[in-house]
Amino acid sequence: MARLGVNVDHVATLRQARGGKEPDAVAAAVLAELGGADGIVIHLREDRRHIQDRDLRLLREVVQTKLDLEMAATEEMVRIAMDTKPHLVTFVPERRQELTTEGGLDVAGNRERIKDLITLLHQCGIAVSLFIDPELEQIKAARRVEADCIELHTGRYANATGLKEQDSEFESLVQAARAAYKLELVVNAGHGLNYRNVRRLRTISEIVEYNIGHSIIAHAISVGLERAVREMKDLLR
Ligand code: PXP
């Protein structure tokens, strides 16, 4: 059974819309764990548009499973990770104007810089994942910079219009997962996944963990967070 990391950024987005205290991302993380989440994922963006530094500090203490901190690959962000020591850091590309993370990290084009940052995190005992598009060049680069894991960007698969396009994006994910597995990288996947499109991915046995946020939080509005997480976990069996 694949693991499920629940991204609670969207809870913080709702809180920030009014600048108050609710809903609380920490309370959401506790409920997600009660529903069977294997990990909690947060993205501390440089513009702090949803998750705040305080959330990170509290979640580091409260999360019982595993805290995956997504962040831009910069020295400033790495310093924050070295102070708080999440279980895993996932480097993601960040553009200020984007609504959500668009496209994967260009590891191949930034090998030296990314490797230096990974070395710093490894020295603190923090494992590192790289959020990349399902492309062989990026997978090989992830191996060369000594990442522990990759997270395959499933956005193109999730946004595919029509079966032909979805088939082609699915095939890219299959090939990428196999290649990464052969290079002994732990393979995670995420972005844009929901209760429908995640089913097909379950046939890719190399993927060990899915990181899912928006669809779970959206479903939670109707059925509650614990149940929304449990329903997604059931699909990953
Ligand atoms: N994985 C990564 C690296 C992400 O940046 C995001 C979005 O924050 C997700 C997974 C979750 O995506 P979604 O909210 O579309 O499920």
Side-chain angles (χ1 to χ4, degrees), residues 5 7 9-10 41-43 45 50 68 70 90-93 100-102 131 151-154 189-194 210-216:
N7 182 315
D9 292 352
H10 307 283
V41 186
I42 52 171
H43 183 175
R45 293 187 74 104
H50 40 55
D68 175 0
E70 296 177 359
T90 300
F91 283 139
V92 300
T100 180
T101 314
E102 293 164 3
F131 186 50
E151 180 175 337
L152 292 174
H153 195 316
T154 51
H191 208 280
L193 298 179
N194 60 37
Y210 292 89
N211 290 327
I212 306 180
H214 190 268
S215 66
I216 292 177

Side-chain angles (χ1 to χ4, degrees), residues 145-156:
V145 299
E146 291 171 27
D148 304 279
C149 324
I150 55 160
E151 180 175 337
L152 292 174
H153 195 316
T154 51
R156 289 205 304 246

